[in-house]
Amino acid sequence: MTKHIFVTGGVVSSLGKGLTAASIALLLQRRGYNVRLQKLDPYLNVDPGTMSPFQHGEVYVTQDGAETDLDLGHYERFAGIECTRTSNHTSGGIYSRVISRERAGGYLGKTVQVIPHITDEIKAAIRSHIAKDTDILITEIGGTVGDIESLPFLEAIRQFRQEIGVENGIFMHITLVPYIKAAGELKTKPSQQSVGLLRTIGISPDMLICRCEHSLTQEHKDKMALFCNVPKHLVIEEKDVANTIYEVPLDLARQDTDVYVLEHLKLHVQSLNLRDWRKMVRTLVTPRNGEIEIAVVGKYIGLQDSYKSIYEALTHGGVANSVGVKVRMVESEEIESQGAATMLKGVSGVLVPGGFGDRGIEGKIEAVKYARKRGIPFFGICLGMQCAVMEFGRNVCRLPKANSTEFDEDTAHPVIDLIESQRTVKAKGGTMRLGGYPCKFTPGTRSRKLYGNASVDESHRHRYEFNNAYRERYESKGMVFSGLSPDGELVEIVEIPDHPWFVACQFHPEFRSTPLKSHPLFKDFVRASLAEQKKRNAKPSARSAKK
Ligand code: GLN
């Protein structure tokens, strides 16, 4: 029988519930259990695919083509557990299923209500993610206890635990213990109140994970235990980590968090092996090869979460090369106003990530040009590849108006255009080319060598594609199409062999990278950027050479 962990959050949002859930998954997995994770989001969008990155951060794409919450990225990166469509459910999705059923006559004669119909649907959503071999399912409830939207979810997990019994499910509440600087004190009251709220709806947390900036004393823990009705040893501290989020599992393991979870669930406590994880964290904190700076030229730079997987994948590439990767976050519109030379000065690599809409596009194209002409390693992803194609068209293929029809429908040279199947699509939700599609490599190319395979399945999220009418022209000017769909129709990767490192792909490799196994493209991009920096350092500048 599958055991359950229900994760709720109190006091404020952004506590890192996803990171905590993912860390616990890693620990349980390393104790020999088969773990799955899922996130239930209380908002009314059917999925986050229609939300701006400024609202919601990155949209994480699963291999089976679902647009999901970015916490799923943590689940995959920490525990290496592949997420699927059933890993993320929203109120929007739950309600739309119930309402469609009602219209189809599925509840004939009945009044359709939040309890039991919506809560039944939520419980079904939880069950839908249990596979045959799942020992433990971790279900994270998005939002904060006290939000109106999350009530049906909390009621559903209350019922769920009631049905399976206490020893088959554990309520883990993640809460904030703020430090009041003026008083020089940590305060437990907000947590007491948040647990109080949970108890009014019938959930009494079994374990508290306390997010804090300063360590809790035993006195704090005793107080929390008393007021929140939790055994003292189940008040766990989760202090801000010193260096990297990948320290969180080590911190939780030090306090035997996973052992207590297993004890509650009456599961055997097998030994824990985190040797590779510790080694990875050590490399991350003290890399042998110093630090390099890579520019990420984006259009949603203001929000840290917008390019979450990109930043993480760069960090993973750093681990693989034992070098720290400092990211210079460059707003592409600032390149338009201040020039690429000013904004990108000194970086050892340039990455242009995905995005939508025409704001900032010219700045991205300038960034490509800067990297291409100066021989600085360049990595383009999705929109970044499309910008690389536009730049090459304008400045190498003599197509001065080369553009994507996303930005100029009537351009004279639509080098990026909609594919036929997208032309008739009107609805916005879930209608892009989504999820894993195979890409076949062209023999003899850098990509083929890096992947070490003849083909790969990578995740997609886009509508526009390279326009095949221009393939020959591009090839004759030195661009190589190194990855194509198996029928040869869709361009998946382009390269410029006559450049130290210029690779751009239509898919999103950042979703398939983990700290223990960096994605081959990120790994090699970081290697090339490190080589670029070494080359630069070896070259004495004109002034110092004169001395
Ligand atoms: N806007 C582009 C398209 O739809 C690129 C999408 C992306 O970068 N994810 O094709």
Side-chain angles (χ1 to χ4, degrees):
M1 178 187 178
T2 304
K3 305 270 183 168
H4 293 262
I5 302 175
F6 299 104
V7 179
T8 54
V11 185
V12 290
S13 57
S14 305
L15 281 179
K17 289 199 299 284
L19 277 177
T20 308
S23 301
I24 298 216
L26 171 76
L27 299 180
L28 296 172
Q29 194 189 47
R30 293 303 179 92
R31 287 199 189 265
Y33 289 99
N34 214 322
V35 185
R36 292 198 99 188
L37 291 131
Q38 72 176 169
K39 170 117 192 246
L40 306 183
D41 275 311
Y43 55 73
L44 287 171
N45 302 61
V46 170
D47 62 44
T50 51
M51 275 188 245
S52 151
F54 284 126
Q55 287 276 310
H56 188 266
E58 162 188 286
V59 172
Y60 193 80
V61 186
T62 58
Q63 279 295 85
D64 64 351
E67 297 176 279
T68 69
D69 187 78
L70 57 80
D71 273 341
L72 273 66
H74 293 311
Y75 303 167
E76 292 202 351
R77 286 187 284 269
F78 277 70
I81 301 165
E82 190 171 321
C83 290
T84 63
R85 206 158 266 290
T86 52
S87 310
N88 192 195
H89 295 273
T90 68
S91 287
I94 300 279
Y95 275 81
S96 69
R97 288 202 286 278
V98 170
I99 292 168
S100 308
R101 196 174 303 129
E102 186 277 332
R103 291 290 82 185
Y107 303 101
L108 273 189
K110 293 197 188 104
T111 307
V112 182
Q113 293 178 299
V114 171
I115 306 172
H117 302 104
I118 293 294
T119 48
D120 278 352
E121 193 64 30
I122 296 172
K123 289 189 283 181
I126 295 175
R127 276 185 225 104
S128 73
H129 202 51
I130 301 175
K132 241 196 263 129
D133 56 355
T134 310
D135 299 316
I136 303 169
L137 173 62
I138 304 182
T139 302
E140 176 194 344
I141 312 291
T144 308
V145 169
D147 295 344
I148 291 180
E149 291 105 328
S150 56
L151 274 174
F153 289 94
L154 297 175
E155 168 60 14
I157 60 171
R158 184 199 66 74
Q159 293 174 14
F160 203 106
R161 218 278 291 260
Q162 183 65 22
E163 288 160 18
I164 59 178
V166 175
E167 62 183 51
N168 293 319
I170 177 166
F171 288 128
M172 181 181 283
H173 188 55
I174 304 182
T175 180
L176 177 72
V177 183
Y179 179 73
I180 308 293
K181 211 164 146 201
E185 273 180 58
L186 284 166
K187 290 292 182 190
T188 62
K189 182 83 78 199
S191 301
Q192 294 171 32
Q193 288 177 339
S194 149
V195 171
L197 265 176
L198 269 178
R199 288 167 72 189
T200 58
I201 50 180
I203 293 177
S204 189
D206 301 298
M207 179 183 248
L208 294 180
I209 307 259
C210 305
R211 293 282 294 109
C212 48
E213 288 174 21
H214 295 270
S215 290
L216 303 180
T217 60
Q218 191 55 47
E219 207 181 318
H220 292 122
K221 290 190 179 176
D222 293 351
K223 197 167 167 190
M224 297 269 281
L226 180 68
F227 281 93
C228 303
N229 204 32
V230 169
K232 286 180 190 171
H233 66 287
L234 297 185
V235 179
I236 307 282
E237 169 189 298
E238 194 187 316
K239 207 168 91 175
D240 291 354
V241 282
N243 304 292
T244 154
I245 51 170
Y246 298 115
E247 286 172 74
V248 174
L250 302 178
D251 222 34
L252 293 174
R254 215 170 290 131
Q255 300 173 76
D256 284 335
T257 314
D258 52 328
V259 175
Y260 298 138
V261 168
L262 291 172
E263 281 175 356
H264 177 106
L265 297 174
K266 300 269 185 300
L267 288 171
H268 181 59
V269 180
Q270 306 169 62
S271 67
L272 175 69
N273 182 353
L274 287 174
R275 209 172 304 144
D276 53 346
W277 196 269
R278 277 184 216 286
K279 185 165 167 253
M280 175 272 290
V281 169
R282 251 196 323 271
T283 309
L284 235 171
V285 178
T286 48
R288 271 196 324 275
N289 297 314
E291 188 177 74
I292 53 168
E293 192 177 20
I294 288 180
V296 172
V297 181
K299 43 188 290 181
Y300 317 108
I301 287 293
L303 187 77
Q304 179 77 20
D305 276 354
S306 305
Y307 300 110
K308 189 110 224 155
S309 296
I310 297 268
Y311 300 148
E312 290 307 314
L314 284 171
T315 303
H316 307 157
V319 172
N321 289 281
S322 199
V323 65
V325 177
K326 184 171 157 201
V327 172
R328 185 185 301 178
M329 300 174 190
V330 179
E331 189 61 68
S332 52
E333 280 173 300
E334 284 185 29
I335 293 190
E336 291 167 11
S337 59
Q338 301 184 40
T342 313
M343 299 303 295
L344 301 177
K345 189 165 183 255
V347 297
S348 308
V350 174
L351 188 154
V352 178
F356 297 83
D358 64 354
R359 183 181 60 80
I361 291 301
E362 294 303 320
K364 287 183 177 238
I365 293 176
E366 277 306 303
V368 180
K369 182 173 168 191
Y370 177 89
R372 185 180 57 77
K373 293 197 90 163
R374 295 184 189 224
I376 298 170
F378 171 82
F379 192 6
I381 293 178
C382 209
L383 178 61
M385 181 195 103
Q386 299 175 355
C387 288
V389 165
M390 289 185 248
E391 193 279 329
F392 197 82
R394 291 180 192 184
N395 300 318
V396 182
C397 300
R398 300 223 188 95
L399 303 166
K401 291 269 158 42
N403 212 334
S404 161
T405 49
E406 179 179 3
F407 314 127
D408 178 3
E409 267 186 73
D410 307 314
T411 176
H413 298 296
V415 293
I416 301 291
D417 199 5
L418 284 178
I419 43 170
E420 213 41 54
S421 59
Q422 279 289 340
R423 288 188 194 279
T424 48
V425 173
K426 290 273 176 294
K428 294 285 182 234
T431 55
M432 280 186 257
R433 182 167 182 244
L434 289 169
Y437 284 95
C439 160
K440 247 179 90 183
F441 300 113
T442 312
T445 57
R446 188 189 286 278
S447 308
R448 167 71 181 85
K449 202 168 107 220
L450 291 179
Y451 277 91
N453 264 330
S455 72
V456 69
D457 263 35
E458 291 274 16
S459 241
H460 293 251
R461 182 173 185 248
H462 60 109
R463 291 187 202 283
Y464 294 81
E465 304 276 355
F466 183 90
N467 183 346
N468 290 332
Y470 293 91
R471 259 206 226 172
E472 271 175 32
R473 185 154 187 162
Y474 272 68
E475 269 168 339
S476 71
K477 293 288 182 191
M479 185 169 267
V480 165
F481 298 96
S482 52
L484 300 171
S485 57
D487 62 2
E489 283 303 306
L490 302 175
V491 171
E492 296 280 3
I493 318 180
V494 302
E495 293 177 14
I496 303 178
D498 188 20
H499 183 282
W501 207 95
F502 193 106
V503 179
C505 49
Q506 187 58 78
F507 50 78
H508 290 273
E510 70 272 26
F511 296 144
R512 303 274 84 83
S513 184
T514 74
L516 295 178
K517 197 167 187 294
S518 167
H519 187 284
L521 293 181
F522 277 91
K523 182 171 158 185
D524 206 57
F525 172 57
V526 170
R527 182 205 52 75
S529 304
L530 177 60
E532 161 67 20
Q533 193 202 47
K534 282 190 180 153
K535 192 176 82 194
R536 231 181 265 174
N537 290 347
K539 223 189 275 167
S541 71
R543 201 175 297 161
S544 60
K546 260 188 220 155
K547 276 186 192 164

